[in-house]
């Protein structure tokens, strides 16, 4: 539904407490549970921002060939076998033989098919003969194409550029103790950057020519700067295939004779190519498929491996997979009904329609209260005790610019009620082990952790609502202030106590609470983590009146 | 509109599953395979389907016009496609969830890609070898290279279905032509 929950990784801050939900930094610190890892060594959640990543192997996503890392560079990060994208529609191409001559049926012909072979697209029915490419053999097509590619002017130019920069790179690495010049802010102090930027400043095909007045610093560096970088002169005027695509007279002539937009190659078709690409779609060449990599991920602090895929490209399994979903309870938030339909005429909309409209964020009205549900699922083979605490929100410090700082705006925009006592979640079990004990495992045999009683007068909405298998559903409530505005977002601390396999030597945060909860079992541990719950947006009074229900 | 009178002529060499939805005056030629849950409605005028076509599950063929809707040979109507063309040539492929409006006649050797939708206000005819593909329904002309292989594949496809479909489905029999 529209309400969401995300889990905190503390890597971006120095404290274990997350930023307040209205701060911009909040969105970078919270992640969905499936994106998170768990380091057993550190007993901590890790995210993709903080884990260190190593490439454990390269493979072609099409033929699943594992490419040794030594040859990845030589093959320019693309599959060097028979894998190509269609230059028109980016479908993968198939190698097909030529049709047998008329009169003979296909069965009679050679089973391998007749040369020349073509690359053929089953989606748009493009074939490589349209671009003038055919093959004598049906294997090793990339090598057969390599000759074309290597002799292309762009490719030769690139090789020359590399040769040109080679000595400069060597020189720069040999005297790294290079005293910064007077114009140290200039990017030209480093010979590599200097060379690169001067090369980049040359005309780019397809981009209209622009000659900015040379800045002073560059003129200076030309005359006797310590860089002593020779000027690079390109051997060929880069002009794409057949000299087209450079933005010159020839292109203008070409485009004046176009008859159909499909004759022009689209931007998407052009920028997948490594070299400058023809402006005509009929000239487009098949594209070797870029390689993918499999990654190993490590904990940033203890260097233990969190994710290690199996070596084989065909395998979808992992040798090591420490994901947070196997350690932390999965929580789902559900806000039963947004206001959109409650404000409508009764009967004007069926509940089904209303459910479908929930895909957008739900909107909440000031001065109202809404029940919501949290479904917690236990991934462990042992029962856990969970306690939920709403993190106190610092009041919005300064009201937004241009608004009078009234007393009203200093009040919190909403208040959250959650079950205040701990509740249990049954252990995870394989589906067949549950049988029909589901019905027995209801609220009744709950060991004294029944819903919050009349003390709060909300026994129906706030408290434990349902227990089924390894899921416990608890109810909460949000009360929106009369002048509330902004997002109904709050940080929630979740602590759960579980039976530890290790002796309870290093009791951690919240251990005090743990002993309160489970007095009988000394071998328990408590883990705490933060989440952010987003229930929707509060529609300020004035907007709510004008908002038309049709907008949903 | 007068009530539609059902009249099904199914060739003895056609494979039409029991669980298909037929309405009106329909003729199905030899070798044509109609999968269960296919829908063929001759609402306006009759529908005449040639030989060795494949009409897959959930494919819908509708004739809204008075004149006869003629479908040639060796066409493939994939799952969930919908064709209301007044005429369809030979060896076309209408891919999954593609839709062709009743103003569009289909030539031969055309390929209408998945989810492509052709709808025009005036009557048009798709040229032979027209290919429509992609999310923006881009149009190309097929060179025709590989046509023999496509035919061969289509023949094998029909042969396979003719052998296997009757083992798992009851067949429908109509009047013999
Ligand atoms: Zn971290
Ligand atoms: Zn992190
Ligand atoms: Zn490959
Ligand atoms: Zn293609
Ligand atoms: Zn660690």
């Amino acid at each position: 539904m529209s309400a969401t929950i995300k889990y905190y990784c503390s890597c971006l801050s120095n404290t274990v407490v997350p930023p307040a939900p209205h701060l911009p930094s909040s969105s970078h610190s919270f992640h969905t549970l499936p994106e998170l890892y768990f380091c057993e060594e550190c007993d901590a959640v890790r995210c993709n921002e903080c884990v260190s990543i190593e490439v454990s192997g390269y493979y072609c996503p099409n033929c699943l060939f594992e490419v040794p890392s030594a040859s990845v560079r030589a093959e320019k990060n693309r599959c060097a076998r028979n894998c190509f994208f269609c230059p028109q529609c980016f479908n993968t191409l198939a190698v097909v033989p030529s049709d047998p001559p008329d009169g003979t049926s296909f069965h009679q012909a050679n089973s391998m098919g007749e040369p020349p072979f073509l690359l053929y697209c089953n989606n748009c029915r493009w074939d490589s003969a349209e671009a003038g490419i055919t093959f004598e053999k049906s294997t090793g097509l990339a090598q057969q194409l390599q000759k074309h590619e290597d002799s292309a002017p762009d490719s030769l130019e690139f090789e020359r550029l590399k040769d040109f920069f080679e000595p400069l790179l060597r020189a720069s690495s040999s005297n790294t103790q290079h005293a910064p010049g007077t114009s140290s802010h200039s990017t030209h102090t480093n010979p590599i950057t200097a060379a690169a930027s001067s090369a980049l400043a040359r005309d780019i095909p397809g981009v209209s020519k622009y000659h900015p007045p040379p800045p002073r610093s560059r003129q200076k560096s030309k005359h006797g700067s310590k860089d002593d970088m020779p000027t690079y002169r390109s051997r060929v005027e880069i002009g794409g295939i057949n000299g087209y695509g450079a933005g010159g007279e020839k292109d203008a002539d070409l485009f004046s004779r176009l008859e159909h937009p499909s004759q022009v190659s689209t931007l998407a078709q052009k920028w997948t190519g490594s070299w400058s690409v023809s402006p005509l779609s009929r000239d487009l060449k098949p594209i070797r498929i870029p390689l993918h990599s499999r990654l190993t991920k490590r904990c940033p602090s203890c260097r233990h491996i969190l994710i290690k895929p199996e070596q084989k490209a065909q395998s979808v399994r992992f040798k090591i997979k420490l994901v947070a979903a196997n350690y932390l309870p999965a929580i789902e938030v559900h806000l039963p009904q947004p206001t959109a339909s409650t404000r409508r005429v009764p009967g004007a909309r069926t509940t089904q329609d209303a459910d479908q409209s929930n895909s957008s964020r739900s909107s909440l009205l000031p001065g109202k209260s809404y029940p919501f549900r949290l479904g917690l699922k236990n991934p462990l083979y042992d029962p856990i005790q969970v306690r939920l605490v709403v993190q106190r929100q610092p009041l919005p410090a300064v009201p937004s610019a241009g608004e009078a700082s009234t007393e009203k705006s200093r009040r919190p925009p909403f208040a959250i009620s959650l079950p205040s006592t701990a509740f249990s979640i049954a252990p995870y079990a394989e589906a067949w082990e549950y049988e029909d004990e589901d019905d027995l495992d209801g609220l009744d045999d709950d060991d004294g952790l029944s819903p919050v009683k009349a003390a709060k007068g909300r026994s129906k909405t706030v408290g434990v609502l349902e227990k089924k298998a390894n899921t416990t559903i608890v109810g909460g409530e949000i009360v929106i202030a009369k002048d509330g505005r902004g997002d109904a977002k709050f940080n929630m601390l979740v602590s759960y106590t579980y039976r530890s396999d290790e002796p309870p030597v290093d009791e951690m945060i919240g251990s005090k609470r743990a002993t309160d909860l489970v007095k009988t079992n000394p071998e328990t541990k408590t883990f705490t983590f933060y989440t952010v719950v987003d229930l929707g947006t509060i529609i300020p009074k004035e907007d709510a009146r004008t908002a038309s229900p049709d907008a949903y | 509109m007068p009530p539609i009178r059902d009249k099904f002529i199914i060739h003895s060499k056609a494979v039409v599953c029991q669980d298909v939805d037929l309405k009106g005056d329909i003729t199905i030629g030899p070798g044509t395979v109609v999968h269960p849950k296919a829908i063929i409605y001759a609402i306006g005028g009759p529908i005449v389907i040639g030989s060795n076509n494949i009409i897959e599950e959930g494919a819908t063929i509708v004739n809204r016009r008075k004149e006869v809707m003629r479908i040639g040979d060796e066409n493939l109507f994939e799952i969930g496609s919908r064709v209301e063309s007044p005429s369809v040539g030979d060896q076309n492929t209408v891919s999954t969830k593609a839709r062709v409006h009743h103003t569009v006649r289909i030539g031969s050797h055309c390929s209408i890609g998945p989810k492509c939708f052709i709808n025009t206000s005036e009557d048009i005819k798709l040229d032979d070898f027209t290919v429509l593909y992609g999310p923006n329904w881009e149009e190309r002309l097929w060179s025709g290279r590989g046509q023999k292989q496509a035919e061969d594949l289509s023949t094998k496809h029909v042969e396979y279905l003719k052998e296997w479909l009757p083992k798992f489905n009851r067949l429908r029999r109509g009047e013999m032509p």
Side-chain angles (χ1 to χ4, degrees), chain A residues 58 77 80 86-87 129 138 182 186 202-204 260 263-264 270 290 295 311-312 354 393 399 412 429 434 446 506 508:
Chain A
Y58 297 90
N77 297 328
C86 172
S138 61
T182 40
S186 159
R202 287 185 304 117
D203 292 330
I204 297 161
H260 196 271
Q263 290 175 271
V264 187
K270 282 199 275 193
L295 305 174
Q311 202 53 46
K312 283 203 160 186
Q393 315 261 331
Y434 287 116
D446 190 19
D506 57 333
M508 304 199 28

Side-chain angles (χ1 to χ4, degrees), chain A residues 314-477:
Chain A
Q314 289 97 324
S315 171
V316 290
R317 281 196 282 215
F318 294 83
K319 280 190 184 134
I320 300 171
K321 190 175 98 179
L322 298 172
V323 293
N326 289 338
Y327 296 87
L328 312 186
I331 307 176
E332 268 179 29
V333 198
H334 179 60
L335 187 76
Q337 197 46 66
T339 54
S341 55
T342 54
R343 274 190 291 128
R344 297 202 95 192
V345 191
R349 184 199 279 259
T350 68
T351 43
Q352 232 174 0
D353 288 341
D355 275 346
Q356 278 161 358
S357 73
N358 270 4
S359 53
S360 60
R361 281 169 65 88
S362 49
S363 32
L364 308 165
L365 288 181
K368 294 209 166 194
S369 66
Y370 301 88
F372 62 89
R373 292 164 152 235
L374 296 169
L376 293 94
K377 202 168 244 182
N378 181 5
L380 306 177
Y381 287 102
D382 291 307
I384 56 172
Q385 297 284 326
V386 179
R387 185 191 283 267
L388 305 173
V389 179
V390 176
Q391 186 195 23
R392 300 206 68 169
Q393 315 261 331
L395 291 174
V398 190
S400 55
E403 238 178 90
S405 155
T406 60
E407 272 304 299
K408 277 182 176 178
S409 61
R410 305 276 306 163
R411 251 189 277 153
F414 58 87
I416 302 287
S417 310
L418 285 175
S420 53
T421 51
F423 52 89
S424 65
I425 312 179
Y428 170 83
E430 306 296 341
W432 58 84
E433 290 173 24
Y434 287 116
E435 302 269 332
D436 42 23
E437 50 187 288
D438 279 0
D439 306 320
L440 304 172
D441 196 24
L443 285 169
D444 314 311
D445 66 6
D446 190 19
D447 41 326
L449 300 165
S450 46
V452 180
K453 281 281 146 58
K456 282 206 162 183
R458 282 196 205 101
S459 57
K460 290 267 161 61
T461 45
V462 179
V464 177
L465 303 179
E466 194 185 335
K467 288 189 175 186
K468 199 171 189 189
N470 62 330
T471 303
T472 295
I473 295 171
V474 298
E477 192 175 44

